[in-house]
Amino acid sequence: MLTRPDVAVVGAGPVGLAIAWRCAVNGLRVVVHDPAPGSGASRVAAGMLAPVAEAYFGEHELTGLLAESAARWPRFAAELAEAAGTQFGYRTEGTLMVGLTGDDLAEARRLWSYQQGLGLPITPLRPSQLREREPALAPRVRGGAVAPGDHQVDPRRLVTALRAAAERAGATLVPGPVARLADVDARVTVVAAGCGAAALTGLPVRPVKGQVLRLRAPGRAAPDFRHVIRGYADGESVYLVPRADGEVVVGATVEERSDTAVTAGAVLRLLRAAVDLLPDLAEYDLVEAAAGLRPGTPDNAPILGPLPGHPGVLAATGHHRHGIVLTPVTADLITELVVTGQADPLLAPFTPERFTAASTEKERTWN
Ligand code: GLY
């Protein structure tokens, strides 16, 4: 690109690529810097679009943003499929949340009543109703609930589609690392570098390790369950995400560690919980065990908006457990900021300023 770009995005994960796509569609000249697109947290992610099943006590502002982004997913998915000319495993069967033992169910019910109190769509189900929906569930599963609006997508295929859409819209991928913000020459720089954002910006983004397994149904048949299953099994929390091509993603540990080693203990616990809930999974092939690093933040919510002290730099990072579901709303809000200079009120609880004590009124304007 001969002229100075309007926008440089640092990081070609789903968030960075979606911002690049949307900005390019708005007629901006966009470059995306990443030595290995799609090799970060999204490579390991299961792709749950789960504003309900992933809503936790004390995170109601984050839950609001998850719900907002989940509501944008159907349109985002349709537009992306059209723009990329490819599908990416977007499925809308909903999520079943289940408890294996009486204790598991009691723990889960506390969370479900908190979620219902927030007005989230969740319907308790008796064991017989659960098995009507998913006959493959273990007979000893004590009870559950359905979150019909919690969907799924395949993050690896999503990255492929977003990259195609961004490039078709005119964005250019530059396959190299960015060591310092000063190395980037653009009118606006968007830091969407996941855990790498900490070194670039000084923002408090820390790695939170997640170990994830991938199973495959024998003969590449579709798995014998259709819903995403969010389960509690003898005190273990596990999720099971079935794909049409026979893959089942089993996740995930949540560890305050920065290595990506796969440990025998984690594999054991994940498999035991998975097979306790869906016994047929014992017959599946174990095809992958991997670990990724979620970009965690002190309040578990993303960091979105102008970086104080750095005119023209926007943060779009810290998505922690929610990068895939938050991709549409992040892309919309950051693109709006780039294109119009206007900050949507939705951004207010998530700005970098909440972590930068020295921010001043002047710095609240970003360009
Ligand atoms: N969103 C699921 C996870 O981070 O494990």
Side-chain angles (χ1 to χ4, degrees), residues 48 54 239 252 294 320-322:
M48 296 163 71
E54 293 280 272
Y239 51 77
R294 307 174 180 90
H320 191 36
R321 299 175 60 87
H322 312 293

Side-chain angles (χ1 to χ4, degrees), residues 193-228:
C195 292
L200 287 171
T201 62
L203 289 167
V205 181
R206 71 179 197 287
V208 181
K209 178 177 174 180
Q211 299 189 52
V212 178
L213 310 177
R214 282 175 162 78
L215 313 182
R216 191 165 285 286
R220 296 183 74 90
D224 54 2
F225 63 106
R226 297 177 308 112
H227 297 78
V228 173

Side-chain angles (χ1 to χ4, degrees), residues 64-217:
L65 194 68
L66 297 178
E68 175 65 35
S69 199
R72 295 181 189 213
W73 250 99
R75 185 166 165 198
F76 180 84
E79 290 175 358
L80 179 58
E82 170 80 24
T86 185
Q87 294 295 328
F88 33 86
Y90 177 59
R91 288 178 61 173
T92 59
E93 285 92 340
T95 293
L96 291 185
M97 299 177 288
V98 302
L100 182 66
T101 67
D103 283 350
D104 292 322
L105 192 56
E107 182 185 338
R109 279 185 173 144
R110 286 188 64 210
L111 185 58
W112 299 340
S113 50
Y114 166 73
Q115 293 164 338
Q116 283 178 308
L118 294 178
L120 296 172
I122 163 170
T123 307
L125 298 176
R126 291 190 304 276
S128 60
Q129 294 173 308
L130 273 180
R131 266 175 285 280
E132 270 165 32
R133 287 173 182 258
E134 289 299 359
L137 279 169
R140 71 188 184 102
V141 169
R142 287 290 294 272
V146 61
D150 278 23
H151 300 151
Q152 64 140 312
V153 69
D154 183 334
R156 295 176 180 178
R157 296 171 65 194
L158 176 66
V159 165
T160 302
L162 282 167
R163 182 173 174 169
E167 290 185 321
R168 282 184 175 192
T172 304
L173 261 88
V174 179
V178 171
R180 300 175 313 147
L181 287 179
D183 296 342
V184 180
D185 181 31
R187 182 172 67 80
V188 178
T189 300
V190 180
V191 181
C195 292
L200 287 171
T201 62
L203 289 167
V205 181
R206 71 179 197 287
V208 181
K209 178 177 174 180
Q211 299 189 52
V212 178
L213 310 177
R214 282 175 162 78
L215 313 182
R216 191 165 285 286

